[in-house]
Amino acid sequence: MARSDQAPAIGFLGLGSLGAPIARRLAAVGPVLAFDPDPARFDGLPSDIRPAPSPRAVGDGADIVFACLAAERHHRDALLGPAGLAHGRRRKIYVHLGTSGSLIVAGLAAEMGRHGVETVDAPVTGGPPKARSGELTSIVSGEPECLSQVRDAIALYSRKVVAVDGAPGRAQTLKLVNNAIALVNLVAACEAMVVGARAGLPADAMLDVINNGSGQNSATLGKLPAHVLSGSFDFGASLDVVIKDLELFLAEPAAAGGALVDTCRSALKAYRRARSEGVEIDDLTAVVRPMERRAKTELRWS
């Protein structure tokens, strides 16, 4: 379905492993004005994703601007720096796709508001594979009127949209809750199945039982068979990204204020160990490599 002439113009900041496929989905119905500091990231993208020289230039040409960036410093520079989005002439709504934590997003929303820009908090879950297929789950919070203006665009890359009542930042908390569960599941599944592999159990038999029994989870259904047992380690999220996500979860006010989060702290140690010991491919699924080295076995298809 093509975007009508009356529809708001769309902009995009950040064309990484997650941002690029989301921008592709948005461009399927009309032009997207985009900025990324690495010009090579435009290679292979459709011509309807048009490069802009700066975030400010995106703000000059777009009404609604999505951003899929990594660290807080990247957001602050792209949004509020000298050539930032906030200084554009046209921008009205900023959509925050990244996982940054509730405190950071609430602060960015307040600063953008002083420039006359409304913020929609809209992190996604599903990773690069589901971004490519348009089957992400989006979690959104913000002013209801703003949410109504961006919902059709979000639906282009999402199979499900869940709204959380309240200001920007609320969706971040729910996203981090989801991520913490997924990342703990991966560590637990890798640890348990490495023990099984060391005992001589074939990987296909283990997965057949687990995925038809009570151990089934997102790691055993997707990450392990596709990215660990194959030896490819190519899910598409770096160890730094997942370490950042777990650190943000542990820094959330409710977690930092006394909730029991020992299991999440343990999982964080596993990801940090993989980064510090070095892995052949920098991917979250490589968290299994230190476990394999210590067990002197590899978790692969039989």
Side-chain angles (χ1 to χ4, degrees):
M1 180 179 67
R3 197 177 295 142
S4 71
D5 292 339
Q6 291 76 35
I10 299 296
F12 207 94
L13 307 177
L15 298 172
S17 61
L18 193 60
I22 292 175
R24 277 181 178 271
R25 307 292 300 190
L26 293 170
V29 297
V32 172
L33 185 62
F35 171 79
D36 192 288
D38 182 0
R41 287 187 168 175
F42 285 90
D43 295 346
L45 293 179
S47 59
D48 273 343
I49 300 178
R50 301 170 182 173
S54 68
R56 180 174 187 162
V58 174
D60 286 337
D63 304 293
I64 298 172
V65 179
F66 294 74
C68 194
L69 306 171
E72 178 183 3
R73 67 182 185 277
H74 298 141
H75 285 97
R76 290 201 168 276
D77 184 54
L79 300 182
L80 301 161
L85 174 68
H87 306 298
R89 295 186 300 271
R90 184 171 175 178
R91 77 291 173 276
K92 296 182 180 68
I93 298 176
Y94 162 65
V95 184
H96 189 103
L97 299 176
T99 305
S100 305
S102 62
L103 297 177
I104 290 173
V105 171
L108 290 173
E111 293 189 58
M112 292 296 280
R114 285 192 279 272
H115 289 273
V117 182
E118 294 284 350
T119 296
V120 170
D121 185 13
V124 298
T125 181
K130 289 193 175 180
R132 290 189 288 270
S133 65
E135 296 177 306
L136 291 166
T137 294
S138 288
I139 312 156
V140 298
S141 64
E143 289 293 329
E145 182 179 344
C146 292
L147 295 179
S148 68
Q149 293 182 59
V150 302
R151 187 172 288 273
D152 286 348
I154 290 174
L156 293 171
Y157 56 81
S158 308
R159 66 173 177 82
K160 188 173 184 62
V161 180
V162 178
V164 183
D165 290 342
R170 294 271 289 163
Q172 290 291 316
T173 302
L174 181 48
K175 170 65 189 299
L176 289 170
V177 167
N178 175 81
N179 279 20
I181 294 170
L183 294 173
V184 168
N185 278 345
L186 177 59
V187 171
C190 287
E191 286 184 351
M193 289 188 67
V194 166
V195 169
R198 183 171 171 80
L201 296 175
D204 53 352
M206 285 193 282
L207 273 188
D208 199 17
V209 170
I210 293 165
N211 286 336
N212 288 284
S214 58
Q216 179 192 109
N217 61 67
S218 62
T220 63
L221 288 169
K223 297 181 185 74
L224 277 159
H227 309 288
V228 173
L229 299 183
S230 65
S232 61
F233 304 111
D234 57 355
F235 178 78
S238 72
L239 287 166
D240 279 343
V241 165
V242 299
I243 288 169
K244 178 262 296 181
D245 285 359
L246 279 172
E247 289 174 343
L248 286 171
F249 173 76
L250 293 170
E252 281 289 298
L260 286 174
V261 287
D262 293 345
T263 303
C264 294
R265 293 187 190 281
S266 177
L268 177 57
K269 288 180 182 179
Y271 291 105
R272 286 174 172 166
R273 182 185 301 117
R275 182 178 65 181
S276 66
E277 292 188 4
V279 292
E280 297 86 342
I281 300 173
D282 181 17
D283 190 86
L284 84 163
T285 52
V287 71
V288 74
R289 294 296 286 134
M291 305 172 196
E292 292 177 328
R293 286 194 286 262
R294 283 163 175 73
K296 295 182 175 57
T297 189
E298 288 190 339
L299 188 58
R300 300 292 183 271
W301 289 117
S302 306

